[in-house]
DNA sequence: TGGCCTAACGCAAACGTTTTCGTGTTTATA
DNA sequence: TATAAACACGAAAACGTTTGCGTTAGGCCA
């Protein structure tokens, strides 16, 4: 089991100094052609590759960016990662991933681990627990140490950093407007508790769309799900709540749900109650994941362009990283990614 | 914008040497209590954290493990990552992710990038293109440089390394046996081209189950999909092929598909053709992802316990990393994760 | 008072690079 | 022939740690 070959070993074998080897490999004019040939041949033979860790230490730059997300088993986050990876690799950066599992403590620990030299900057979406606690000291500390942060999707408005967000408000609003256009008279909303920032914004979009059409929102048509439950497990509970909603409001003919799962569950319950989609009830969801595409009927949904978000976030971060030396650009951008209503079979 | 505080800075401020600071922080008996107090107080005040990069360089150990997978927007791989992350963090390791996007070239490049000091070992699943080309030099080179590799799911049998695999053969076999038990007489198989190792194994399981029940496999009941197509885009093509299968074999009363998507698509096509599931046709898929759970009807499927695979892979790798010093344990393990048939509404 | 022990600390090397600044040798020029 | 310039290379510092060992000073004992 050989170790990786280093400059020092090459130098010893060829009886030259380390610096000569280093220069020869980079084709320095200081070094004679003879030596360059010799060194490069030897390096190729032994498959020499510079040690990234040593380079990072010397350059005080890791060329690695850290992604910190609440959960990876989610189409949305996976796609964001994909976008980040795409442009990061294109621009010569690696990607390292931390998972908070929606926990504040894990978010803090993960940040500290990565912040101590492992990465040059963060791309993150904050955990639900952090949103509840509203404790953002770790973000501020990290940034005060000169490490840039780009937040996406679930952001904290007060924190000064670059942000990439979905136009949750208008995405929701347009979806509900679509339902209204399609003659829905009694439109239910299935959303999360208010502390989830995106849920709140989508709820506001729903309300705004109703108001603009002079429809008075009715509290009993709004179902707020406790999103702390792991719905992989508590699927029945979710469905029971939706069933209750439908049963006590028989006139519901449209549903807007703030995520895929709620929408698909609503369709399932509706079908169980003997309702036809889209004839009796039309349904629109949020997030264009696999569920929407392959549900029966396929689900009309608000697409967030997750991959594009990831790409944009990575570009913002790398721009900041690479500008830092030249000009101390202390301005922060918030990029809003427009949503798109993808019409499928769950609406008329 | 402050930089991160280093030992050197603390030393300068407190007018002691760097080594004294280092020792004081680690409570060395060499250092007087007074100095220890002073240094630790100062370090706490300025939130000192040792620089991981410097530690990695010094210790020749990064405490980071690299995951290299073909695709992240997949429930299966996401869950594996989750498992790896879980035990890695528990055992003091970070996780860094590389995506090959099913491309051989990207797999090689990503490996080289990570292998040069960034990580201590690999957990990977090989790309489809690599499986086709059967070019495994990068794995062998990496291992010959003393970097351990654990392969999971899509493995290369010839390569000497730890492996974590799904019992694809028996998983498929049991699924088909279930269909036979349920009185299916004409069972179709929807699978991939043979170069995909797992597809091949599942196909063999299908054939074996048939033979054991004295049923002669019929070539026209086996549909081999070209898995190179991105089925996010080529969904219609997939469905058209399945429709063709059903139309030319009207007696089909059971379907075993080697993944979720094929199974769900089969159900969709069947329904379109006016067939009832599970009364006219029973369907079983592979991989317990979101699609299976939320399909209508919910899909009976072979669960691979992806998260458990990730956990096991991480344990194997870290065990190897941490044993390496003591005894040169050159034995390799192959862990087979048993599958589980999760019965839902698509079978009787 | 001389010698020794111990407490408390600093020096320097090492990890693997890159790069600046010498230094020695050869060649060309006056 | 003496001197300058060109050439080819090496030494050393730096990035931030840890650690074995050397060093200093004081105290103690005989």
């Amino acid at each position: 089991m050989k170790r990786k070959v280093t400059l020092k070993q090459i130098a010893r074998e060829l009886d030259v100094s380390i610096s000569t080897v280093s220069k020869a490999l980079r084709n320095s004019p200081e070094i004679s052609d003879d030596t360059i040939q010799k060194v490069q041949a030897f390096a190729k033979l032994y498959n020499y590759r510079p040690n990234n860790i040593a380079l990072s230490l010397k350059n005080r730059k890791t060329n690695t960016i850290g992604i910190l997300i609440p959960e990876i088993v989610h189409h949305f986050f996976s796609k964001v990662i994909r976008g980040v990876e795409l442009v990061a690799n294109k621009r010569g950066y690696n990607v390292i991933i931390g998972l908070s599992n929606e926990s504040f403590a894990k978010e803090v620990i993960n940040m500290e681990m990565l912040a101590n030299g492992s990465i040059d900057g963060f791309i993150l979406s904050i955990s639900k627990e952090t949103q509840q606690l509203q404790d953002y000291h770790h973000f501020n500390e990290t940034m005060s140490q000169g490490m840039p942060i780009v937040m996406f999707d679930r952001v904290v408005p007060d924190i000064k950093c670059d942000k990439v967000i979905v136009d949750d408000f208008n995405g929701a609003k347009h979806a509900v407007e679509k339902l209204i256009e399609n003659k829905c008279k009694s439109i239910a909303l299935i959303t999360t508790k208010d502390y989830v920032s995106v849920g709140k914004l989508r709820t506001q979009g729903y309300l705004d769309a109703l108001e603009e059409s002079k429809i008075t929102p009715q509290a009993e048509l709004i179902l707020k799900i406790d999103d702390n439950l792991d719905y992989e497990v508590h699927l029945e509970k979710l469905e029971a709540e939706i069933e209750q909603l439908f049963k006590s409001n028989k006139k519901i003919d449209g549903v807007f749900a703030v995520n895929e799962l709620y929408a698909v569950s609503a369709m399932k319950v509706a079908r169980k109650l003997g309702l036809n989609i889209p004839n009796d009830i039309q349904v629109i969801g949020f997030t264009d994941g696999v569920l929407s595409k392959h549900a029966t009927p396929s689900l009309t949904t608000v697409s967030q362009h997750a991959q594009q978000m990831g790409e944009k976030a990575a570009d913002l971060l790398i721009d900041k990283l690479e500008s830092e030396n030249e000009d101390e650009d202390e301005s922060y951008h918030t990029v809003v990614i427009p949503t798109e209503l993808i019409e499928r079979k769950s609406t008329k």
Side-chain angles (χ1 to χ4, degrees), chain A:
Chain A
M1 190 131 67
K2 312 174 292 190
R3 283 251 146 265
K4 289 225 64 171
V5 55
T6 70
L7 287 187
K8 188 191 284 190
Q9 293 170 35
I10 300 183
R12 198 184 307 139
E13 294 290 324
L14 263 43
D15 206 38
V16 290
S17 76
I18 295 181
S19 19
T20 302
V21 177
S22 175
K23 288 170 187 167
L25 289 174
R26 330 188 104 241
N27 288 309
S28 160
E30 275 185 88
I31 308 297
S32 71
D33 286 350
D34 269 9
T35 312
I36 289 188
Q37 300 290 330
K38 193 174 59 176
V39 170
Q40 293 194 353
F42 191 93
K44 185 160 196 173
L45 180 63
Y46 284 89
N47 196 30
Y48 169 78
R49 296 275 182 282
N51 181 306
N52 283 332
I53 294 289
L55 286 179
S56 295
L57 183 59
K58 174 135 191 54
N59 302 331
R60 295 153 128 196
K61 179 135 177 32
T62 62
N63 275 283
T64 300
I65 72 189
I67 305 188
L68 192 49
I69 54 174
E71 181 55 77
I72 199 174
V73 194
H74 256 60
H75 217 246
F76 174 72
F77 287 122
S78 299
K79 282 219 158 191
V80 171
I81 292 182
R82 194 188 221 242
V84 173
E85 247 263 340
L86 211 70
V87 336
N89 282 7
K90 192 176 298 168
R91 298 182 69 171
Y93 284 74
N94 259 330
V95 172
I96 185 169
I97 300 191
L99 261 41
S100 68
N101 277 321
E102 304 285 9
S103 137
F104 173 74
K106 271 209 70 177
E107 188 173 281
V108 173
I109 290 180
N110 246 307
M111 265 200 103
E112 290 200 346
M113 270 198 87
L114 297 183
N116 297 323
S118 302
I119 63 169
D120 296 335
F122 273 109
I123 291 177
L124 60 85
S125 187
I126 70 181
S127 76
K128 283 178 195 160
E129 198 184 353
T130 308
Q131 285 189 118
Q132 280 187 72
L133 298 175
Q134 303 200 20
D135 182 344
Y136 309 129
H137 76 278
H138 48 312
F139 302 135
N140 290 320
E141 276 177 13
T142 304
M143 294 181 58
S144 80
Q145 286 173 350
M147 178 159 305
I149 290 182
V150 177
M151 293 191 177
F152 72 92
D153 195 44
R154 303 191 202 152
V155 305
V156 185
D158 309 338
I159 293 194
K160 282 203 194 308
C161 66
D162 287 329
K163 295 171 190 118
V164 182
I165 53 177
V166 174
D167 193 351
D168 288 291
F169 177 81
N170 282 308
K173 188 174 170 187
H174 293 151
V176 176
E177 283 170 356
K178 179 74 191 174
L179 290 174
I180 296 174
E181 268 178 42
N182 286 2
K183 314 290 182 199
C184 290
K185 300 299 174 196
S186 180
I187 302 174
L189 170 69
I190 307 180
T191 182
T192 57
K193 303 273 185 201
D194 271 346
Y195 62 82
V196 181
S197 58
V198 297
K200 193 170 179 180
L201 285 169
R202 292 171 196 170
T203 300
Q204 285 169 357
Y206 163 86
L207 294 173
D208 209 66
L210 291 188
E211 273 183 40
E212 282 200 1
S213 298
K214 315 283 184 205
I215 303 178
T216 312
Q218 295 174 262
E220 64 266 28
L221 291 184
I222 300 181
L223 177 58
K224 295 197 178 184
I225 306 285
D226 186 356
D227 208 17
N228 268 340
L229 299 177
D230 181 0
Y231 25 65
E232 296 260 334
V233 183
H234 296 85
L235 201 54
E236 300 76 19
K237 189 161 185 314
L238 172 63
E239 289 173 10
E241 289 199 48
I242 297 175
E243 189 167 340
Q244 184 57 38
L245 170 73
F246 283 172
K247 281 186 174 166
S248 27
N249 298 278
K250 305 250 180 193
K251 57 197 180 316
I252 292 176
D253 55 0
V255 173
F256 172 62
V258 299
N259 60 42
E260 267 194 326
L261 183 70
Y262 294 176
V264 170
S265 298
M267 292 207 296
K268 188 184 286 185
V269 171
R271 205 177 308 105
K272 181 178 162 193
L273 297 179
L275 300 169
N276 177 280
I277 303 166
N279 292 327
D280 299 330
I281 285 195
Q282 301 183 51
V283 180
I284 299 185
F286 217 106
T287 297
D288 186 27
V290 277
L291 275 184
S292 306
K293 186 173 289 174
H294 300 290
T296 357
S298 58
L299 182 66
T300 294
T301 192
V302 181
S303 167
Q304 298 156 299
H305 302 295
Q307 181 168 337
Q308 190 187 331
M309 288 188 72
E311 293 173 9
K312 192 67 200 172
D315 270 324
L316 278 176
L317 181 61
I318 298 179
D319 284 349
K320 178 130 299 188
L321 287 175
E322 303 194 336
S323 81
E324 222 161 10
N325 311 324
E326 296 139 29
D327 56 276
E328 279 292 334
D329 189 6
E330 284 297 323
S331 68
Y332 297 107
H333 307 115
T334 294
V335 177
V336 179
I337 305 285
T339 60
E340 182 188 355
L341 189 66
I342 300 189
E343 297 189 41
R344 296 208 182 89
K345 305 289 175 59
S346 67
T347 49
K348 288 184 192 169

